[in-house]
């Protein structure tokens, strides 16, 4: 355990919650993906697929950590896990918020061209993604990181004049 703490630069035991949450979220995601792809083949295939998916997603995530460690300015390595969790929660939440909003506006696939529907759905999702990203960043104690990230993203979308 000490080796793990040293590798992730964990100074206090409460910080272990973020690697634990990361492992749980990774396991849940790999199970959901496996279930969506292999549910017709039975539970054994779903579990085997989930284990293989877990391993592959973990390897990919650790690869991303190494690449982004130099790019993102964070005080400790364990904070990267917190940032990844914020991105995961924000992405999922923007879908949960976007669906009711688009229904509230009376927009459905049946009364609108499907291509136009998905374009509007993505635009509405992006708007709420921006708001939720900063909100969840604040809740997870990474407001400064996500506010700077948000400003860069908005500049890329062409909103530079509003941020100056």
């Amino acid at each position: 355990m000490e080796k793990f703490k040293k590798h992730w630069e964990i100074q206090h035991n409460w910080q272990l919650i973020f690697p634990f949450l990361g492992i749980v979220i990774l396991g849940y995601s790999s199970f959901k993906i496996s279930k969506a792809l292999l549910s017709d083949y039975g539970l054994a295939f779903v579990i085997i697929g989930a284990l293989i998916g877990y391993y592959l997603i973990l390897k990919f995530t650790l690869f991303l950590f190494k690449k982004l460690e130099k790019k993102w300015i964070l005080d400790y390595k364990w904070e990267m896990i917190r940032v990844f969790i914020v991105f995961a929660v924000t992405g999922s939440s923007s879908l949960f918020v976007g669906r009711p909003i688009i229904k509230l506006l009376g927009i459905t696939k049946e009364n609108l061209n499907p291509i136009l529907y998905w374009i509007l759905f993505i635009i509405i999702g992006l708007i709420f993604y921006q708001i939720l990203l900063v909100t969840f960043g604040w809740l997870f104690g990474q407001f400064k990181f996500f506010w700077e990230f948000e400003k860069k993203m908005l500049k890329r979308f062409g909103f530079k004049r509003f941020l100056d």
Side-chain angles (χ1 to χ4, degrees), residues 123-137:
I123 291 170
I124 289 170
L126 275 173
I127 292 168
F128 283 101
Y129 183 84
Q130 309 309 315
I131 297 165
L132 291 170
L133 188 64
V134 176
T135 304
F136 285 122

Side-chain angles (χ1 to χ4, degrees), residues 30-50:
S30 62
F31 178 76
K32 291 294 279 187
I33 292 169
S34 178
K35 188 176 176 186
L37 296 175
L38 302 172
S39 64
D40 294 341
Y41 300 105
L43 184 61
F45 278 101
V46 171
I47 292 171
I48 292 169

Side-chain angles (χ1 to χ4, degrees), residues 18 65 68 72 74 78-90 133 140 142 145-146 149:
F18 296 108
F65 277 166
L68 294 171
W72 290 349
L74 297 166
W78 65 267
E79 290 182 312
M80 289 193 62
I81 298 169
R82 191 161 57 171
V83 167
F84 271 61
I85 290 171
V86 169
F87 280 121
V89 171
T90 302
L133 188 64
F140 278 83
Q142 290 294 109
F145 175 85
F146 283 102
F149 188 88

